[in-house]
Amino acid sequence: MNSKYIDNDNSRGLFERASRSMIKGVNSPIRYFEPYPFFVKRARGCKVHDVDNNQYIDYCMGYGALLLGHAFKAVIDAVREQLARGSLYCMPTEQEVELAELLQRCIPCAEAVRLVNTGMEATYHAIRIARAYTRRRKIVRFDGCYHGSHDYTLARRDMSREERMDKAILDGVADNTLVLPYNDPDALMDAMRREGDDVAAVIVEPVMANAGLIPPEDGYLGRLSSICREYGSLLIFDEVVTGFRLALGGAEEYYNIKPDIATFAKAMANGFAIACIAGRRDVMSVLAPEGRLYQGSTFAGNPISVTASLATIRYLTRHRSLYSRIARRCGELVSMIDDAIEDNGLTARVNSIASMLQVFFTSREVRDHATARSSNTELFKAYFRALLKQGIFIPPSQFEVCFLSLAHDDTIIRSTGESIDRAFRELREQVEVAGRQ
Ligand SMILES: Cc1ncc(COP(=O)(O)O)c(C=O)c1O
């Protein structure tokens, strides 16, 4: 495998140039890592090539979007055909109807859907819908969950005055946003007893994938659902990561829990920009033009993204067995990582589910944001570097997740396991040297 990340002059040159026109050379903060990111030239399957001709096995996979792999033929062919017929009509199309019907068949809560463009847009409007429907002000979210970069889900009531100013959060938004620990239904029950009659919605990532990977404990999502019902608050599943990845019907299908509203993006179109708000018809009916809640977007339901989503979901529908195949490979990689942790005497653990995993350098069981933060993030950075040198690209932050795709075959999985073992050997040596000093 050609991998010489240490010597990557073209990426360095592009980074210096990019930094003159873009903040720190990137358009989204997570793409930056020290001293500078590699710049991508092309990608196919599970492999990414950079501008210095280094090749990496990708475990970032568009932060979960690319379940079928980069440049997946069925999707690319469909998009290419559509491109010749135009890219934006701003009037409805038959494909939009087909996609909406397909979404209704796949997603248990989808009595009605509205297409938008990004995950952030979907969660923002889902919260507006919940507020308009319930005519209540407050929302509950969970520490460590991420729902996109907008005030409604970045705010928290316990923010200091200074922090509110730094993060441009208005007092009204912060004061109406309660943040509770994940995997702790009693904390929700207590909060609802105090102020449940003004809680419009409880929004949750059914599997937390933004504090590393943290699956829900047995019965947790069911408790959330029954508490919401008791207090007349809506339950919003943010399935931007889990939708079409955990199962065709997302976490709703996987855990057999139906929320009132759910949001989808990422794996819904295998790398094209489209998102969806799905939910109960009576709730979704608050949206204009039927209801009074205005929500609109020039690019919503554009024919390119709709075509990509139709091709993706049709493929997933016809090849459902791919979910168990990818999960088996993920399980095999996790057991290789567990062995490598033990063989190298490291204090670390792996959380995993379906096609997702994350390593934490901690002795504690990772079940919420607080325990995720107990992980040694310096060691994680060394792990990231040790893998990058070997041509394996994982997300650069401890608080992200590694994603497998259909293109990560058995050979790739075996060689990744061996690379992780070598990376852990390097870490062990670093830990031993540090211990002697
Ligand atoms: C669970 C979750 N919700 C929402 C978002 C925001 O999605 P987008 O980046 O498409 O705006 C993300 C992004 O990573 C996410 O992980």
Side-chain angles (χ1 to χ4, degrees):
M1 187 176 299
N2 171 19
S3 157
K4 55 177 180 63
Y5 184 74
I6 297 304
D7 171 25
N8 53 0
D9 296 344
N10 292 338
S11 276
R12 191 178 57 239
L14 268 178
F15 176 70
E16 282 164 6
R17 190 174 141 205
S19 300
R20 290 195 282 275
S21 55
M22 294 185 272
I23 306 305
K24 213 69 176 163
V26 293
N27 278 311
S28 194
I30 188 69
R31 294 177 199 169
Y32 174 78
F33 56 81
E34 298 276 342
Y36 49 85
F38 62 84
F39 281 63
V40 174
K41 197 159 61 180
R42 64 194 158 86
R44 178 172 288 276
C46 63
K47 294 178 184 158
V48 169
H49 298 257
D50 73 11
V51 288
D52 291 279
N53 294 322
N54 298 307
Q55 174 187 286
Y56 306 92
I57 309 293
D58 189 4
Y59 283 93
C60 179
M61 298 308 290
Y63 286 96
L66 296 149
L67 180 64
L68 297 173
H70 290 280
F72 191 72
K73 190 171 180 320
V75 179
I76 299 299
D77 285 353
V79 166
R80 196 174 282 132
E81 258 181 52
Q82 176 56 44
L83 275 169
R85 294 193 291 266
S87 58
L88 188 64
Y89 311 135
C90 290
M91 286 304 283
T93 61
E94 188 172 351
Q95 288 101 309
E96 269 174 283
V97 184
E98 282 173 10
L99 179 58
E101 289 169 352
L102 195 51
L103 291 167
Q104 279 185 321
R105 285 200 294 279
C106 295
I107 302 167
C109 79
E111 289 170 17
V113 299
R114 164 107 358 143
L115 296 180
V116 290
N117 305 289
T118 65
M120 161 184 161
E121 242 185 292
T123 62
Y124 176 70
H125 293 301
I127 288 169
R128 293 180 67 228
I129 290 168
R131 284 187 165 131
Y133 179 80
T134 59
R135 309 189 84 76
R136 295 176 178 184
R137 286 171 298 184
K138 294 174 188 166
I139 62 151
V140 173
R141 67 176 183 89
F142 297 96
D143 196 16
C145 287
Y146 174 70
H147 305 289
S149 50
H150 59 81
D151 295 14
Y152 287 175
T153 56
L154 291 176
R156 48 192 305 153
R157 183 184 283 173
D158 59 8
M159 282 174 132
S160 66
R161 176 130 214 92
E162 203 56 22
E163 214 183 338
R164 290 177 187 202
M165 296 306 274
D166 285 347
K167 297 186 175 166
I169 304 283
L170 299 176
D171 287 344
V173 178
D175 293 341
N176 285 298
T177 310
L178 284 70
V179 181
L180 303 177
Y182 184 76
N183 265 334
D184 183 353
D186 294 340
L188 178 63
M189 197 64 206
D190 288 347
M192 294 299 251
R193 273 195 204 107
R194 283 193 312 272
E195 40 199 319
D197 60 355
D198 199 16
V199 171
V202 172
I203 182 167
V204 67
E205 282 185 77
V207 172
M208 199 183 343
N210 283 284
L213 181 71
I214 308 181
E217 290 172 357
D218 280 354
Y220 175 60
L221 296 173
R223 280 288 305 282
L224 294 191
S225 171
S226 57
I227 296 170
C228 283
R229 215 169 315 121
E230 186 178 338
Y231 284 89
S233 308
L234 301 184
L235 178 62
I236 305 175
F237 272 8
D238 178 356
E239 298 235 38
V240 165
V241 170
T242 51
F244 301 96
R245 176 167 275 279
L246 211 53
L248 189 60
E252 298 178 38
E253 177 188 320
Y254 196 91
Y255 294 106
N256 194 23
I257 309 264
K258 200 151 72 161
D260 301 291
I261 306 177
T263 55
F264 297 82
K266 300 212 188 216
M268 162 176 184
N270 205 59
F272 285 81
I274 189 167
C276 160
I277 309 163
R280 276 169 38 194
R281 175 166 278 283
D282 59 332
V283 172
M284 297 292 285
S285 296
V286 300
L287 283 170
E290 190 171 320
R292 286 208 293 231
L293 182 70
Y294 187 74
Q295 184 284 325
S297 161
T298 304
F299 286 97
N302 75 76
I304 303 302
S305 297
V306 167
T307 299
S309 187
L310 266 178
T312 301
I313 301 174
R314 278 181 181 147
Y315 189 90
L316 294 173
T317 309
R318 288 179 195 138
H319 300 85
R320 268 184 179 245
S321 64
L322 65 83
Y323 285 102
S324 54
R325 200 178 332 148
I326 306 175
R328 175 186 56 76
R329 289 179 183 149
C330 187
E332 282 165 11
L333 183 55
V334 169
S335 65
M336 288 180 82
I337 300 173
D338 278 334
D339 289 348
I341 290 171
E342 200 178 319
D343 292 350
N344 290 289
L346 289 174
T347 303
R349 57 179 57 240
V350 194
N351 279 1
S352 71
I353 186 168
S355 56
M356 306 183 258
L357 69 94
Q358 183 60 307
V359 174
F360 296 90
F361 295 95
T362 176
S363 59
R364 298 177 68 183
E365 183 197 352
V366 178
R367 56 179 298 273
D368 57 17
H369 197 205
T371 43
R373 280 197 308 251
S374 74
S375 186
N376 182 334
T377 49
E378 286 309 310
L379 219 48
F380 187 90
K381 276 188 205 157
Y383 167 62
F384 166 74
R385 292 241 139 243
L387 286 180
L388 199 64
K389 261 191 334 199
Q390 297 182 67
I392 308 274
F393 176 55
I394 62 168
S397 163
Q398 169 70 85
F399 302 106
E400 296 289 342
V401 169
C402 291
F403 294 98
L404 270 69
S405 76
L406 188 58
H408 292 77
D409 62 19
D410 292 328
T411 311
I412 293 284
I413 293 298
R414 257 194 312 278
S415 80
T416 303
E418 288 160 10
S419 296
I420 290 177
D421 186 42
R422 279 193 292 274
F424 282 172
R425 225 173 299 153
E426 258 186 56
L427 296 195
R428 183 187 64 193
E429 283 156 19
Q430 284 179 27
V431 171
E432 282 169 0
V433 170
R436 283 199 294 274
Q437 282 166 355

